[in-house]
Amino acid sequence: MRHLFRKLTLPRCTGSLLVAAALLHGAAAQAEPGVSADSLTLGQSTTLSGPLGDLGQEVLKGARVYFDALNAKGGVNGRSIKLVTKDDAYDAKKTLENVNTFIAEDSVFALFGTFGTPNNEALIPLAQKAGLPVLTPYTGAPSIRGKDSKGVFNLRASYADEMEELVKHLTTLGIKKIGIAYQNNTFGKEVLAAAEQAMARRKVKPVLSVSIENNASDAVAAAEKLLATEPEALLLGVAGKPTIEFIKAANQRRKGTQMYALSVLATPSNLRALGADGTGVAISQVVPFPINSTLPIVREYQQAMSAAGHTDYSHLSLEGYIDAKVAAEGLRRAGRTPTRAGLVSAMDGMRHYNLGGMEVSFGNGAASGSKFVELTLINAQGKLIK
């Protein structure tokens, strides 16, 4: 009888184990892409080479420092964060190839720190179709801040916010004869529109607006045209080589012309390339001054950078660090069983998140999570000062 009982119960136990195994297999099969028991993978297409490669590298440096420090403490909800970075050299076609690879391989949970205006404009519709959240893209473009950009979480203040601050500063000083140099691409044209709107709100019109090609071939001619109008100040909606060539040309022709540029100018290599020509150029910034250790977020950043062996603090690496910190907070709020939908909900619900000197709030479509903008100046030693 006992022998018969064993024969009858053994298949039942085996059946239960098979059912349990099937359930576990089903749960694994239903796991979100990029999520494993001990890791969570983010995908990034950014510029590590090409015309803005140094800018992309500097932002990435700060992000990696944050993620490495976080992982050393156990990561997020027991999972380490892996950042898979692919270089696109600021080429939107290559950006799409990179993102398509992430989607086809089902290998990432979300995109992080995707770089560039034309690049993000190209990738966002693709990411949205695939249900892939886009965290802290590096662009201030108004075009990716529309209410229909669901699942896109811009952190940095927009180029319109930067231009608003620059124009407000100039008009407060009583300066009204303002010329504009802008890059002949999507980025430059959006910056131009933002500058014109900020000026129109103050009943001021630019004395002249001149475009500059991406290769800077007409930078000298643009400087000559603008200076011929005898402006009191120049607004620069350009990035990379065109900015350097224009500022040098303007100084050669009329030294001392006050010039105001966006945060994308403030790379270490740009400051070195400008040399003495950079003296007195004002630059708007979208994160706090990275030397101001009175702010908790800056102290935290400096300590993490130092521990990683970096002593060169910059606005760009601080921005990358802050981007990573905010993305990690969203992942933490998404819970121990993260889903892409849960991450979107968690990011949307983030309100008044205090980083320690900078506050972040989402939930307004794809509008910027931060409105922080302040002005800095390049001094005679080629360093940024407040």
Side-chain angles (χ1 to χ4, degrees), residues 33 86 96-108 111 123-132 340:
K86 294 180 180 289
L96 287 178
E97 289 177 16
N98 291 341
V99 174
N100 269 316
T101 298
F102 288 139
I103 293 171
E105 294 179 353
D106 229 12
S107 58
V108 303
L111 296 179
L123 74 86
I124 284 173
L126 187 65
Q128 288 178 314
K129 186 176 180 181
L132 198 57
R340 287 171 171 173

Side-chain angles (χ1 to χ4, degrees), residues 299-314:
R299 280 200 306 276
E300 177 189 322
Y301 153 80
Q302 289 180 351
Q303 289 166 4
M305 289 284 283
S306 179
H310 302 296
T311 56
D312 51 333
Y313 306 141
S314 72

Side-chain angles (χ1 to χ4, degrees), residues 57-69 268 290-291 298-314 317-318 321:
Q57 290 174 32
E58 193 69 12
V59 177
L60 176 60
K61 181 198 298 182
R64 285 207 179 279
V65 164
Y66 179 83
F67 286 138
D68 287 348
I291 311 300
V298 175
R299 280 200 306 276
E300 177 189 322
Y301 153 80
Q302 289 180 351
Q303 289 166 4
M305 289 284 283
S306 179
H310 302 296
T311 56
D312 51 333
Y313 306 141
S314 72
S317 59
L318 175 57
Y321 185 91

Side-chain angles (χ1 to χ4, degrees), residues 103-304:
I103 293 171
E105 294 179 353
D106 229 12
S107 58
V108 303
F109 183 59
L111 296 179
F112 167 83
T114 47
F115 186 98
T117 296
N119 314 70
N120 277 289
E121 286 177 343
L123 74 86
I124 284 173
L126 187 65
Q128 288 178 314
K129 186 176 180 181
L132 198 57
V134 181
L135 308 180
T136 65
Y138 187 94
T139 172
S143 56
I144 67 163
R145 283 166 164 75
K147 292 290 186 182
D148 58 341
S149 295
K150 181 69 176 174
V152 180
F153 298 95
N154 294 288
L155 177 55
R156 68 178 355 245
S158 70
Y159 296 137
D161 293 327
E162 291 191 62
M163 270 299 170
E164 176 71 20
E165 187 65 25
L166 293 177
V167 171
K168 181 176 76 173
H169 174 77
L170 287 172
T171 54
T172 299
L173 295 177
I175 295 173
K176 295 184 177 180
K177 289 189 67 178
I178 304 169
I180 303 174
Y182 66 97
Q183 206 147 331
N184 190 22
N185 62 7
T186 306
F187 156 72
K189 290 172 184 176
E190 290 188 345
V191 172
L192 171 65
E196 290 175 335
Q197 290 163 13
M199 292 173 73
R201 284 191 287 273
R202 294 164 176 83
K203 302 187 180 340
V204 178
K205 290 184 178 180
V207 292
L208 183 66
S209 300
V210 179
S211 68
I212 303 176
E213 294 301 319
N214 291 335
N215 62 7
S217 58
D218 53 355
V220 172
E224 290 174 345
K225 289 177 185 176
L226 281 166
L227 291 175
T229 66
E230 299 186 351
E232 297 173 274
L234 296 172
L235 290 172
L236 311 184
V238 284
K241 185 179 179 181
T243 321
I244 308 301
E245 297 302 318
F246 179 88
I247 291 173
K248 285 180 175 291
N251 276 328
Q252 276 188 343
R253 281 147 186 79
R254 199 173 87 183
K255 189 73 175 174
T257 301
Q258 187 61 59
M259 288 178 271
Y260 291 77
L262 300 177
S263 55
V264 291
L265 172 61
T267 69
S269 64
N270 280 348
L271 298 181
R272 287 193 299 269
L274 281 171
D277 284 301
T279 304
V281 175
I283 304 175
S284 54
Q285 304 288 355
V286 297
V287 294
F289 200 64
I291 311 300
N292 182 13
S293 57
T294 61
L295 296 179
I297 184 59
V298 175
R299 280 200 306 276
E300 177 189 322
Y301 153 80
Q302 289 180 351
Q303 289 166 4

